[in-house]
Every structure is written in structure tokens, then in C-alpha cells.
Amino acid sequence: METKNAITALTALGHATRLAAFRLLVEAGPSGRMAGDIAAALQVPPATLSFHLKELLQAGLVESESQGRNVCYRANFSAMTGLIDYLTHNCCAGSTDPACSPTSPDCAC
């Protein structure tokens, strides 16, 4: 992931409603959630949710699929993994402590 893409993704996640929507979609897994379900879960008006989901779409963090008159949104797990990899690329650079690794459950980075 390039720095510009990471900044775009982090900016999109830097709003409480967008972060909450993204977390719901991550929890939903590959099946995703319908826009109306997301709006109800977050208790936000559909127009407000649409604005926020558009930002997540433009950042590449979510994908959408029309299903009749409804839209299903899914987290883009490869983009999420790319962002995490970008953020942890040099985690504990130079450290010889085996517990300090992005793949280690003990990483305090």
C-alpha cells in the first residue's frame, strides 16, 4: 500500500460513524450487511449513512453490490490487511525481542 492510499483510508476511518460502520462490516464477514440494517444498527438516517459509506467506498475499504432495490456492503478485507501491513511494516525495527513482531500476539507495538 502506498502512503497516499493509507492516508485516504485512515482519513475515512477517522469519523465515528464511518469507523462504526466499518467495524460492523468486518464483524459481518464476507456476507456483508444491507444498508438498511447498518443504518438501523447505528441509529443513523439512511441519507447520513449513505454519505459515510460513500467515503468508505472511495477509500477502498468497503465494496457494494446492488441486490434489487437494496445495496449490500462488505468490508474489503484485502484493503484492511494492506492498511494493517502498511502500519506495522517496520514494527519494532531493530528489536531482537521475539515478542515484538506484527504477527506475534504479544506485540506491544
Side-chain angles (χ1 to χ4, degrees):
M1 175 174 281
E2 295 182 22
T3 299
K4 180 181 176 182
N5 298 44
I7 291 169
T8 300
L10 291 168
T11 300
L13 293 172
H15 187 280
T17 301
R18 289 192 289 269
L19 181 59
F22 185 71
R23 289 181 55 137
L24 276 177
L25 293 172
V26 169
E27 289 173 14
S31 61
R33 290 184 77 159
M34 302 304 279
D37 295 339
I38 299 168
L42 299 179
Q43 298 179 340
V44 296
T48 301
L49 180 66
S50 179
F51 169 81
H52 290 300
L53 289 173
K54 183 181 83 169
E55 293 293 315
L56 292 170
L57 278 164
Q58 289 178 342
L61 293 169
V62 300
E63 300 168 339
S64 66
E65 176 187 356
S66 294
Q67 295 182 354
R69 300 182 83 192
N70 299 307
V71 180
C72 181
Y73 289 89
R74 294 177 183 86
N76 181 341
F77 290 100
S78 65
M80 180 182 74
T81 302
L83 179 59
I84 292 168
D85 289 346
Y86 177 86
L87 293 172
T88 59
H89 177 70
N90 290 319
C91 180
C92 300
S95 175
T96 58
D97 184 348
C100 190
S101 163
T103 58
S104 169
D106 298 326
C107 183
C109 303

